[in-house]
Amino acid sequence: YILLTATAALVYVQVCAQDMNDALKKTFQAFDTTRDVSVKTAQANKLTLIAKKWKDEWAPHYYNAYAKASLSYMLPENEMDKKDAMLDEADASLDEAVTLLGKETDDIYVMKAMLAQSRMAVDGRNRWQKYGKLFDENLQKAKELNAENPRIYYLKGTSVFFTPKMFGGGAEKALEYFEKAQPLFAKENDGDMTDPYWGAEANEYFIQMCKNEKEGGRAEATETKE
């Protein structure tokens, strides 16, 4: 009887975990593969519901934080309060993920860096000193735990990409980071949502943008020379 009860309990836990993984994966992929704001918002709301349903699992809270941070970029620039409110929710979700996980992993630090980057994007002129430092510090902590995490270099690449050339940024320098992330992304799989894998498609997008800008710059230089 004890063995049957234990076996039934184990099967129940496995089924619940599988249900959570499937629901989270399906919703996250729907969120992450669209650029339609209304669709993205709807899927983000589903991620919030999944986090509430599986409130004792850390992964739904982690992806909920990711979704909030991503959506904050899509709000109008003049809605700074709404952006910050959304990022407050993202911070709370990530804190919950850390509490449930019981530790800070490399991907937790990467997400902290992403949230710092999102805060900076709300008001870069007045926030770059505070949140720029937090961004770099969290990426460094992630790198110390796992230098093979591609999201470290992907996020650094986005930061460099949007930094003016006069301050050491630009597409050419950013490309180095995106290309470093590319083979590391190729090593990951998307089967288990408790093993984060996001960023690969966006990384490819930025690689193409950098190459296009680089080629455009060469063409312009050639025309000028002629």
Side-chain angles (χ1 to χ4, degrees), residues 14 51-52 68 73-74 132 136 144 153 157 185 200:
Q14 290 175 336
K52 289 180 179 179
K68 303 281 187 194
Y73 286 96
M74 297 184 171
D136 289 332
E144 288 170 2
Y153 310 105
F185 274 122

Side-chain angles (χ1 to χ4, degrees), residues 110-159:
V110 166
M111 187 59 65
K112 286 187 174 184
M114 183 180 179
L115 292 178
Q117 189 179 48
S118 300
R119 291 284 188 183
M120 189 162 47
V122 176
D123 185 8
R125 182 178 298 179
N126 296 307
R127 297 184 180 183
W128 68 269
Q129 285 185 313
K130 176 182 178 180
Y131 289 105
K133 182 179 179 181
L134 286 174
F135 175 80
D136 289 332
E137 287 177 350
N138 280 297
L139 284 190
Q140 182 57 38
K141 289 177 181 178
K143 192 173 183 179
E144 288 170 2
L145 290 178
N146 179 17
E148 297 291 293
N149 188 321
R151 281 161 291 284
I152 296 170
Y153 310 105
Y154 160 67
L155 280 186
K156 183 63 177 178
T158 61
S159 176

Side-chain angles (χ1 to χ4, degrees), residues 35-47:
R35 293 183 185 176
D36 186 309
V37 178
S38 60
V39 175
K40 218 169 185 65
T41 301
Q43 297 305 318
N45 290 336
K46 287 184 180 180
L47 286 171

Side-chain angles (χ1 to χ4, degrees), residues 51 54-62 92-104 108:
W54 283 283
K55 61 182 181 180
D56 295 327
E57 299 285 345
W58 73 270
H61 298 285
Y62 172 89
S93 291
L94 187 59
D95 287 344
E96 185 64 22
V98 173
T99 298
L100 292 167
L101 190 57
K103 60 182 179 180
E104 292 175 312
I108 290 295

Side-chain angles (χ1 to χ4, degrees), residues 71-87 121-123 127:
L71 273 180
S72 71
Y73 286 96
M74 297 184 171
L75 292 174
E77 290 185 7
N78 62 343
E79 295 185 356
M80 294 171 61
D81 288 343
K82 287 185 178 180
K83 286 175 178 279
D84 277 328
M86 188 170 287
L87 291 171
V122 176
D123 185 8
R127 297 184 180 183

